[in-house]
Amino acid sequence: MLISKKQSLFSWVERLPRPLAKVVSNPFVVSAVVGVGIWWLLAGNVIEFLPTPYQVAGAFVGAITSSEFYIDMAITLRRVLIIAVGAWLLATILGIAMASSWPIETAINPLVFIGLAIPAPLGIYFAILIFGLGELTSIIALFVIVTPYVAVIIYGGAKARDKRLVEMAAVFRFSRWQQLRDITLPELAPSLMSGARFAFAMGWKLVVLVELLSSNVGIGERLQYFFVFNQPARVIGWTLTFTVIMVFVERYVFATLEKKLLAWRPIEDAGKGMAPVA
Amino acid sequence: MTVVPSDHFINIEDVFFSYPQSNLLALDGASLSVKRSEFACILGPSGCGKSTLLNILSGLFVPSKGRVTIDGDVVFNDGQMASGKLPRIGYVFQDDRLLPWRSVRQNIELALKSAAIPKSEWDGLVEHFLGLCGIGQYADTWPGNLSGGQRKRAAIARAMAIDPTSLLMDEPFSTLDEVNARFLRRELLELWQKTKQTILFVTHSVREAVYLADTIYIMTKGPGKVMERLTIDVARPRQYEDPRLTEIEGSIISSVLNYWGYYEPTAVQG
Amino acid sequence: MSAQNAVLTGPRDRSFKISGMQVKRALLIAGLVAVTLLAWQLLWDKTDWLSSPAETWVFFVETVCNPATYSNLAATASRLFIGLFIGYIAGLTAAFLMHKSKWWDRFTRPYVFIALSTPALAFCLISLMVFSLSDLGVYMAIAGTVFPFVSISLLAGLNSIDAHLTEMTEVFRFSWFDRLWHQAIPDMAPHLFSAFRNVHALAWKVVVLAELFSAQNGIGYQYKRAYAFFSTKRLIVWSIFFMLMVMIVEYGILRPLERVVFRWRK
Ligand SMILES: Nc1ncnc2c1ncn2[C@@H]1O[C@H](COP(=O)(O)OP(=O)(O)O)[C@@H](O)[C@H]1O
Ligand SMILES: [Mg+2]
């Protein structure tokens, strides 16, 4: 039933020359055409202040051909890298410490809980009140917001370690180094990996907010400028550059790394690690 | 192709089937027929298409070729589902397939509701069939709190309670321990003698088939064909250890040994 | 007999036995809280930004007694509710499309992925500009941010539905409603709960963020005011309210519901 319906709906596609038919029936192409089409119809008419795809494309090109964009992006990227690596390292220490000692677990749990519960602007405002405006504030605020999330991931992985493997290692008299290299690290690798992914994704998404509230350089500050002067096309255009970089890092850096490090895992657990971030 | 006598209740004639996304035939011209109120067993090694046959009878899959009639109504004919509704069938799956988040009673009631049995009769039916299956006191328990044997009884009660035109059972006892299985087999026969529902029972155990069946259909090892039809003429009630059954079992095993290529472990003890 | 009764009455009542470990943990937490309060009391005078515990407490009591507080909370909660609702509808649609076939999966996935990698802030700014700072902008910001997470978790739930049980419901001719209510939804329940938890926590943060830029009331607006006054007591007190709201949903709605839904588990 369904199949025949679809065939009749798309039968005109079959009459096209083959390469063309292939392009026309490709879900990505159809999806993009439908999406951009609906956007175009809505923009300006139904939704008065929604910029058209054409305007956004112009803003996007304008962004990537301007030199300020690269200066701002370099500043923002540097911040993201610092806090992603820093938060990941601290979270690894915290997560493993929590999993292996109950007093540490008990003491840090409430802090992590509060860290997960409070909204990001609060942390940023506090950081500004304490340290004033500036680079240090931006980095500390991001650090404090991101670390609890990553710590929870690594804590979960460390807590779920398989005791039977440790027993096996004891029976076969593994050396300490062997235990670390061949049991502990591979066991923790999936959660360390998704922790790293998360730290990067979250830092990347939050950095604009931190910059907007606490700094006078960077992409976030730029977005605020466009917001205040009501230039929606440029906000969308500059955000799109962000999406492009994010997809690139996710697809090429992390996916490659994961394939190398976690080749032994069954396929269905692979590729997780994107989680809600405000 | 055999000519099917008209008193036969379930007729499967020359049925072909292969699963979607598979180019192997799971059924390759299978034929069999079961009389009304008969206890028929399908006997075959694992992977020979027994479950597939039951899945077709229950309406889950449509065979690509061949004809299936139940109670005189054509159900499938040459790749088509015949018009009209499928007859009501009770299916005891190989695994119990109870909804774990609903009590035993709710599980049966859902089946009753779906079979359009009036609500006023539900309580009576649930009690009756759970009582028959010996788990009356567990009506309001969640399946997860029951043992494997009790769950199987609940699944059997569910299948019988909807007053099916026929009862399909897919190796219902193969996962149970031998003592429990033997007990349930005896009880199943007693139940059947009370309800006289037509039963099509799938098993890979020769002994079980010989003990239970009026008629046994033996399938080949490879893609599903029915190889042989056997009538067991031992009077009921039967004893599981009856030497006459042992003898029949022995002859079946020696005849299928070459076709199936493996030894049924229960055969050795006789 | 007693064992049988236990089976018949379903899950065992949880007895309130307190283990030695729990006592130790409670003592440790109490100690840490005491140390924190003490440090706060000793420190506040030495800094120019921290309010004293006493001041904060007084402000907390004032805020609790002030009826305007509740209109602020209600404003935030209603924005959250509507935004979440829209996000759920969108996420549900996307999940069903992605579940339907490979073609529709590839059709839908780019939108989910784009939304997933867009910062919540960008959603807020864009949607507030497009809808000229109205509440509609706040709703759309929440919906846009949560939609990909809803669709990903629902898709995982749909994929986890037990095909064997689905076959059973077909053989016994369950109606579509019974299939949904008695099989699909209970089967997806763990995913639905975890999805709701994540998404709900996320939505609270987004609504506050959006209010920071647009609203004239609500928790986010109060944060902005607190910051303008350089007032830590306001920040702390409004955060307490924020956490209370989140915890009411967790302990008042989610946990009791979970207990009912999962009571069949041992
Ligand atoms: N869902 C399925 N998809 C593809 N092939 C299947 C499926 N189920 C069973 N088969 C194949 O069909 C054949 C018959 O299977 P089945 O009827 O389950 O055997 P039995 O119940 O006799 O053990 C087997 O070769 C099996 O591999
Ligand atoms: Mg089978």
Side-chain angles (χ1 to χ4, degrees), chain C residues 4-76:
Chain C
Q4 202 171 326
N5 273 340
V7 170
L8 289 177
T9 50
R12 255 168 294 152
D13 307 359
R14 293 215 170 72
S15 53
F16 286 95
K17 249 190 231 156
I18 297 170
S19 68
M21 196 63 190
Q22 276 165 318
V23 173
K24 273 195 223 164
R25 279 176 193 263
L27 285 177
L28 182 61
I29 288 183
L32 285 170
V33 170
V35 168
T36 311
L37 285 176
L38 194 68
W40 185 3
Q41 179 64 41
L42 293 177
L43 269 181
W44 75 270
D45 218 10
K46 310 256 181 309
T47 63
D48 50 359
W49 52 272
L50 196 60
S51 316
S52 77
E55 270 177 276
T56 310
W57 173 250
V58 169
F59 184 70
F60 178 69
V61 175
E62 268 171 28
T63 317
V64 169
C65 298
N66 185 354
T69 306
Y70 301 99
S71 69
N72 274 297
L73 296 180
T76 302

Side-chain angles (χ1 to χ4, degrees), chain A residues 142-161:
Chain A
L142 266 174
F143 201 69
V144 168
I145 299 168
V146 174
T147 307
Y149 287 86
V150 186
V152 164
I153 294 174
I154 293 171
Y155 167 64
K159 194 86 184 166
R161 287 193 55 194

Side-chain angles (χ1 to χ4, degrees), chain A residues 122 125-126 129, chain C residues 49 51 59 212 218-239:
Chain A
L122 183 74
Y125 282 152
F126 256 105
L129 288 177
Chain C
W49 52 272
S51 316
F59 184 70
L212 220 53
I219 296 178
Y221 172 71
Q222 295 296 341
Y223 274 146
K224 193 167 66 177
R225 251 163 54 101
Y227 177 61
F229 289 143
F230 285 102
S231 161
T232 39
K233 68 180 182 198
R234 282 169 190 269
L235 283 179
I236 292 173
V237 167
W238 281 101
S239 301

Side-chain angles (χ1 to χ4, degrees), chain C residues 7-254:
Chain C
V7 170
L8 289 177
T9 50
R12 255 168 294 152
D13 307 359
R14 293 215 170 72
S15 53
F16 286 95
K17 249 190 231 156
I18 297 170
S19 68
M21 196 63 190
Q22 276 165 318
V23 173
K24 273 195 223 164
R25 279 176 193 263
L27 285 177
L28 182 61
I29 288 183
L32 285 170
V33 170
V35 168
T36 311
L37 285 176
L38 194 68
W40 185 3
Q41 179 64 41
L42 293 177
L43 269 181
W44 75 270
D45 218 10
K46 310 256 181 309
T47 63
D48 50 359
W49 52 272
L50 196 60
S51 316
S52 77
E55 270 177 276
T56 310
W57 173 250
V58 169
F59 184 70
F60 178 69
V61 175
E62 268 171 28
T63 317
V64 169
C65 298
N66 185 354
T69 306
Y70 301 99
S71 69
N72 274 297
L73 296 180
T76 302
S78 77
R79 289 181 187 125
L80 173 100
F81 181 79
I82 298 172
L84 265 181
F85 184 77
I86 303 172
Y88 264 97
I89 301 282
L92 200 70
T93 314
F96 274 110
L97 284 179
M98 288 193 282
H99 188 64
K100 194 176 153 70
S101 71
K102 244 204 162 87
W103 198 92
W104 280 107
D105 179 46
R106 298 195 359 174
F107 180 92
T108 317
R109 214 168 265 272
Y111 296 103
V112 174
F113 202 86
I114 289 174
L116 197 64
S117 43
T118 304
L121 175 73
F123 270 120
C124 286
L125 297 185
I126 294 167
S127 114
L128 287 174
M129 290 167 93
V130 167
F131 298 103
S132 28
L133 298 184
S134 66
D135 269 356
L136 184 59
V138 180
Y139 306 150
M140 296 318 273
I142 299 170
T145 316
V146 300
F147 133 81
F149 298 104
V150 174
S151 59
I152 287 175
S153 342
L154 283 183
L155 181 64
L158 284 172
N159 287 338
S160 78
I161 287 180
D162 184 350
H164 283 176
L165 284 181
T166 307
E167 282 184 2
M168 186 279 288
T169 61
E170 271 174 50
V171 166
F172 285 99
R173 317 255 185 283
F174 281 30
S175 64
W176 67 266
F177 177 81
D178 284 346
R179 281 185 198 191
L180 199 67
W181 183 247
H182 293 291
Q183 194 233 334
I185 291 180
D187 218 351
M188 288 171 66
H191 289 273
L192 295 180
F193 272 104
S194 83
F196 188 80
R197 280 225 164 76
N198 290 336
V199 164
H200 173 253
L202 177 64
W204 270 108
K205 294 174 187 173
V206 182
V207 70
V208 168
L209 190 58
E211 284 175 347
L212 220 53
F213 298 104
S214 76
Q216 299 308 312
N217 58 4
I219 296 178
Y221 172 71
Q222 295 296 341
Y223 274 146
K224 193 167 66 177
R225 251 163 54 101
Y227 177 61
F229 289 143
F230 285 102
S231 161
T232 39
K233 68 180 182 198
R234 282 169 190 269
L235 283 179
I236 292 173
V237 167
W238 281 101
S239 301
I240 292 174
F241 278 111
F242 178 85
M243 291 214 255
L244 281 179
M245 300 276 279
V246 177
M247 274 155 87
I248 286 172
V249 175
E250 172 73 25
Y251 290 95
I253 300 175
L254 279 184

Side-chain angles (χ1 to χ4, degrees), chain A residues 245-264:
Chain A
I245 294 182
M246 173 97 174
V247 171
F248 176 82
V249 173
E250 179 61 35
R251 274 283 157 89
Y252 295 99
V253 181
F254 282 116
T256 316
L257 213 60
E258 186 172 79
K259 223 181 268 172
K260 283 237 169 76
L261 291 176
L262 305 178
W264 52 271

Side-chain angles (χ1 to χ4, degrees), chain B residues 24-39:
Chain B
L24 300 172
L25 279 173
L27 290 178
D28 185 8
S31 302
L32 62 82
S33 48
V34 182
K35 281 188 217 147
R36 189 184 293 277
S37 297
E38 189 181 34
F39 199 126

Side-chain angles (χ1 to χ4, degrees), chain A residues 7-267:
Chain A
Q7 273 170 351
S8 64
L9 196 64
F10 289 114
S11 60
W12 58 272
V13 173
E14 282 154 26
R15 291 194 291 272
L16 294 171
R18 268 209 89 182
L20 196 61
K22 226 174 174 177
V23 172
V24 170
S25 62
N26 184 311
F28 283 127
V29 177
V30 178
S31 169
V33 169
V34 169
V36 173
I38 292 178
W39 176 6
W40 213 306
L41 288 177
L42 289 179
N45 311 313
V46 186
I47 305 175
E48 199 187 338
F49 299 109
L50 181 66
T52 61
Y54 181 74
Q55 291 167 325
V56 169
F60 180 80
V61 174
I64 57 174
T65 49
S66 71
S67 58
E68 301 116 64
F69 169 78
Y70 293 96
I71 297 169
D72 281 333
M73 191 55 101
I75 293 170
T76 301
L77 205 55
R78 180 174 153 267
R79 289 177 178 153
V80 173
L81 286 179
I82 291 175
I83 72 101
V85 173
W88 180 74
L89 284 175
L90 180 63
T92 304
I93 296 170
L94 284 181
I96 293 175
M98 281 166 77
S100 42
S101 133
W102 74 262
I104 297 181
E105 187 186 19
T106 311
I108 294 183
N109 246 337
L111 289 180
V112 168
F113 177 80
I114 293 174
L116 297 182
I118 59 172
L122 183 74
I124 300 168
Y125 282 152
F126 256 105
I128 298 173
L129 288 177
I130 301 173
F131 302 104
L133 293 170
E135 182 76 6
L136 182 68
T137 305
S138 306
I139 288 182
I140 288 179
L142 266 174
F143 201 69
V144 168
I145 299 168
V146 174
T147 307
Y149 287 86
V150 186
V152 164
I153 294 174
I154 293 171
Y155 167 64
K159 194 86 184 166
R161 287 193 55 194
D162 191 348
K163 285 214 174 59
R164 292 169 306 174
L165 286 180
V166 178
E167 284 167 10
M168 182 279 289
V171 169
F172 286 101
R173 310 264 186 281
F174 278 30
S175 69
R176 286 205 137 220
W177 164 240
Q178 246 181 329
Q179 277 197 33
L180 184 71
R181 200 196 60 178
D182 293 322
I183 298 179
T184 312
L185 279 181
E187 260 190 316
L188 284 181
S191 54
L192 290 178
M193 189 73 213
S194 54
R197 272 196 146 134
F198 200 100
F200 179 79
M202 190 165 180
W204 190 240
K205 285 173 154 193
L206 278 173
V207 71
V208 276
L209 176 63
V210 171
E211 287 176 345
L212 187 150
L213 294 178
S214 74
S215 165
N216 47 15
V217 277
I219 301 280
E221 203 279 328
R222 190 68 56 170
L223 289 181
Q224 170 165 36
Y225 176 86
F226 298 143
F227 179 67
V228 170
F229 289 94
N230 199 18
Q231 301 176 334
R234 298 182 87 178
V235 174
I236 301 177
W238 282 59
T239 304
L240 277 179
T241 63
F242 239 68
T243 308
V244 170
I245 294 182
M246 173 97 174
V247 171
F248 176 82
V249 173
E250 179 61 35
R251 274 283 157 89
Y252 295 99
V253 181
F254 282 116
T256 316
L257 213 60
E258 186 172 79
K259 223 181 268 172
K260 283 237 169 76
L261 291 176
L262 305 178
W264 52 271
R265 268 206 308 180
I267 300 156

